[in-house]
Amino acid sequence: MPRIPSRRGHLKNNPVPGEKKVLLAAPRGYCAGVDRAVIAVEKALEHYGAPIYVRKQIVHNIHVVTELEALGAIFVEEVDEVPEGSHLVFSAHGVSPAVVNAAADRGLQAIDATCPLVTKVHREAVRFARDDFEILLIGHEGHEEVEGTAGEAPDHVTIVNSPDDVDNIEVKDPDKVVWLSQTTLSVDETMETVRRLRQKFPKLQDPPSDDICYATQNRQVAIKKVARDAELVIVVGSANSSNSVRLVEVALEYGAKAAYRVDYASEVKQEWLDGVATVGVTSGASVPDELVQELLRDLADAGYGTVQEVKTAEEDLVFSLPKELRTGRSGKQDPRALGGRTTTAAADSACNTQ
């Protein structure tokens, strides 16, 4: 298995004014949708053997992808790279109907690991398009999730990248407009975009329920509280992880004097810690906790051994695995089938989606 890149001892315990400590945000790290998707690839490898093909990165985290590659997963950009008849997993970010059809045309045995909360947005897009609404999809153009959602109703969707885009948006019928959003956006920025859209289109309709996922919101709320008291915030997460990048922005907006994103603890620079007594730590929703623990060990080497958890919410939501993967080779239900890596008790009371 690949090792976490380590540079233990690279951070020095230099004196600073005040007591050194870490404020550790909670919730942080893996959400239910990510857990489900990663386990889906692991289970597919166990069930069908290597190789298992995955379209795009299963989740946006370089360490997770590297670990799965070591187990026999092969990540591809498009379905035409996959040998006919092979097993193909769709990533947590979802795909458009065109991708589903292309996989079927190649005779691929597709396993859909789309996060159920993303699937909910897809279904909303289909329903509003059927009712002939124009859909203003707030999200980052080119992101896999946005491509998948827009692909459900390409003739009805206009992508809105930011609040500044609103002035250039035109619709055919301002009486039949609805907004949807990518699930991993900044809550504050999304609400500002909606505010401007509503100023321009007073009859703009809201989605039936909040599209920004619970995990994205919870991690942003937690880092807002941490940032008020932290001189430095370190976010563990990959550069292509939208929700991880947003955490850096939110930390700066809510009081942190500096904030940085790293894939690994080894990327933390000594100068970031100069004069800093309080360090805030969090991680994006696709980050395994082992990467955070490695960061905490490095910070302890630098004198930040006191860790205070700042908890703003409890998370107990879990999702069942794709139906193809809910049983083991013996035909018996896999213990993880209804709740990922959580305990059996938690799984028994969980939201069983898909």
Side-chain angles (χ1 to χ4, degrees):
M1 294 293 290
R3 295 174 59 85
I4 298 173
S6 179
R7 292 172 58 205
R8 289 299 298 276
H10 75 289
L11 298 178
K12 296 179 175 58
N13 187 358
N14 295 332
V16 301
E19 178 190 359
K20 288 184 175 183
K21 63 182 177 181
V22 172
L23 299 180
L24 183 61
R28 64 185 179 277
Y30 267 16
C31 64
V34 164
D35 198 38
R36 174 182 186 266
V38 174
I39 292 176
V41 178
E42 294 172 348
K43 280 280 295 169
L45 286 162
E46 292 172 12
H47 204 79
Y48 304 112
I52 293 294
Y53 293 85
V54 185
R55 183 184 180 273
K56 307 290 188 180
Q57 292 187 356
I58 185 67
V59 296
H60 285 161
N61 184 265
I62 188 172
H63 184 73
V64 172
V65 169
T66 302
E67 283 195 318
L68 292 173
E69 284 178 330
L71 293 174
I74 297 176
F75 293 87
V76 300
E77 286 299 303
E78 296 299 345
V79 298
D80 59 9
E81 301 172 49
V82 182
E84 293 185 5
S86 300
H87 287 90
L88 173 67
V89 179
F90 295 140
S91 79
H93 308 104
V95 297
S96 69
V99 173
V100 175
N101 293 336
D105 290 344
R106 289 186 65 78
L108 303 180
Q109 300 180 62
I111 299 167
D112 189 1
T114 302
C115 173
L117 300 180
V118 174
T119 299
K120 176 185 80 73
V121 182
H122 282 218
R123 290 172 177 163
E124 290 169 355
V126 170
R127 179 165 69 83
F128 283 111
R130 186 177 58 237
D131 293 339
D132 204 28
F133 274 80
E134 289 191 64
I135 300 165
L136 303 181
L137 177 58
I138 302 171
H140 300 131
E141 193 160 10
H143 190 282
E144 289 105 293
E145 182 186 329
V146 171
E147 290 178 348
T149 302
E152 294 284 357
D155 295 334
H156 289 78
V157 170
T158 298
I159 297 171
V160 186
N161 278 283
S162 71
D164 292 337
D165 278 3
V166 172
D167 288 343
N168 299 320
I169 300 296
E170 299 294 338
V171 300
K172 291 179 294 186
D173 184 355
D175 290 340
K176 295 199 72 174
V177 185
V178 63
W179 71 272
L180 302 177
S181 81
Q182 183 180 331
T183 63
T184 54
L185 299 178
S186 160
V187 176
D188 295 339
E189 183 174 326
T190 300
M191 290 303 100
E192 173 60 16
T193 302
V194 172
R195 185 188 69 79
R196 294 195 195 183
L197 286 171
R198 184 158 282 118
Q199 280 185 333
K200 187 168 185 177
F201 308 113
K203 293 189 177 179
L204 178 74
Q205 290 199 25
D206 297 324
S209 60
D210 201 341
D211 284 346
I212 297 179
C213 89
Y214 76 96
T216 296
Q217 295 188 54
N218 287 347
R219 279 145 192 73
Q220 289 178 18
V221 169
I223 203 59
K224 287 176 183 179
K225 188 170 183 180
V226 166
R228 291 199 294 263
D229 300 312
E231 297 145 275
L232 166 69
V233 167
I234 300 174
V235 176
V236 184
S238 290
N240 62 340
S241 167
S242 178
N243 73 89
S244 297
V245 173
R246 299 290 85 70
L247 287 171
V248 174
E249 296 171 352
V250 171
L252 291 170
E253 184 179 350
Y254 278 80
K257 294 178 181 176
Y260 301 96
R261 180 204 55 78
V262 298
D263 275 299
Y264 296 103
S266 58
E267 299 169 12
V268 174
K269 297 180 180 180
Q270 182 69 47
E271 55 263 33
W272 295 354
L273 302 173
D274 290 348
V276 171
T278 304
V279 179
V281 170
T282 189
S283 57
S286 52
V287 177
D289 196 55
E290 60 186 305
L291 300 184
V292 175
Q293 296 307 315
E294 181 73 9
L295 173 59
L296 294 179
R297 287 191 289 270
D298 278 16
L299 289 173
D301 291 344
Y304 301 89
T306 299
V307 178
Q308 299 177 9
E309 189 171 64
V310 179
K311 181 174 287 189
T312 56
E314 295 281 352
E315 292 181 353
D316 58 6
L317 181 66
V318 289
F319 295 128
S320 61
L321 293 178
K323 59 183 182 299
E324 301 92 341
L325 304 174
R326 294 177 190 169
T327 58
R329 292 180 180 176
S330 65
K332 294 182 179 178
Q333 182 167 286
D334 188 284
R336 298 176 296 179
L338 298 181
R341 300 172 206 276
T342 61
T343 63
T344 303
D348 288 343
S349 62
C351 169
N352 181 7
T353 307
Q354 285 199 335

